[in-house]
Amino acid sequence: MDNQTMNTKTQIINLLRSTNREGMENVINLLENSNFFTAGCHSHHKYTGGMADHALETYNIARKRYKGIPEDSLIICCLLHDLCDIDGHSKYNGHGRRSAGLATKHCGLKLSKDEWGAIRYHMRREEKRPDHTPLGRAVYRADKISAITGGVRDFFRRG
């Protein structure tokens, strides 16, 4: 791993631990024993380490733009919204549902109903979401902004 990837990894793990959430060490163990920190993201941030960069970028965008949302909820939902993309899980249907399920059922992470919904529905446009919470909107919008900016960077990397 290069220095940038190690820095991103350290930041993500420190942020996740800062939540003091039950089951978080299991999530961190899953991340460290998967390709989360080395894989490219599906349709943007396609470079080595892009998945982790996208997760951290999503969190940083949400933190700066959306005030009044509990910090631990932003950390968890933004950093773990694409959890199901690790180790090829993205080939199965139900992207958001699988991410929330990996965190809760596989790792035992305790999520509020709002957090579960924010991860579960992060791919749906707001008008098609069953919930319209500030957390859900923040994750959805920050994810889209990061995807667009990451896609632009990928375009220019290709020359």
Side-chain angles (χ1 to χ4, degrees):
M1 251 185 245
D2 64 19
N3 287 339
Q4 175 62 36
T5 304
M6 284 301 293
N7 184 40
T8 299
K9 179 179 178 179
T10 300
Q11 287 180 61
I12 288 172
I13 290 173
N14 288 342
L15 283 165
L16 291 172
R17 280 195 174 123
S18 76
T19 67
N20 294 312
R21 191 67 64 94
E22 183 179 336
M24 188 56 75
E25 287 303 317
N26 295 333
V27 171
I28 292 168
N29 188 46
L30 176 67
L31 297 179
E32 289 184 312
N33 291 296
S34 71
N35 66 345
F36 181 82
F37 295 107
T38 57
C41 213
H42 35 88
S43 60
H44 51 83
H45 294 79
K46 294 179 184 180
Y47 54 90
T48 301
M51 187 182 309
D53 283 352
H54 168 60
L56 187 58
E57 188 172 88
T58 299
Y59 164 70
N60 284 324
I61 291 166
R63 181 177 53 83
K64 289 175 186 167
R65 289 178 173 239
Y66 304 98
K67 306 297 182 196
I69 298 170
E71 185 73 11
D72 61 330
S73 294
L74 273 181
I75 290 169
I76 290 167
C77 296
C78 290
L79 295 180
L80 303 180
H81 74 278
D82 283 336
L83 185 61
C84 73
D85 287 339
I86 61 172
D87 296 333
H89 289 281
S90 62
K91 64 184 174 187
Y92 305 107
N93 291 328
H95 177 82
R97 186 185 68 236
R98 279 192 335 278
S99 290
L102 269 173
T104 57
K105 294 176 184 167
H106 180 75
C107 296
L109 183 64
K110 300 297 181 192
L111 296 177
S112 69
K113 181 180 177 185
D114 191 19
E115 292 165 346
W116 193 91
I119 295 171
R120 164 65 177 96
Y121 297 109
H122 80 271
M123 297 288 287
R124 287 192 187 176
R125 288 196 321 266
E126 293 173 46
E127 66 273 9
K128 294 190 176 197
R129 293 173 57 115
D131 61 339
H132 289 285
T133 68
L135 175 62
R137 283 190 296 276
V139 174
Y140 172 83
R141 291 174 181 171
D143 177 41
K144 298 308 166 229
I145 292 167
S146 174
I148 291 166
T149 59
V152 169
R153 279 193 304 271
D154 287 349
F155 175 79
F156 286 106
R157 279 184 183 191
R158 288 190 292 268

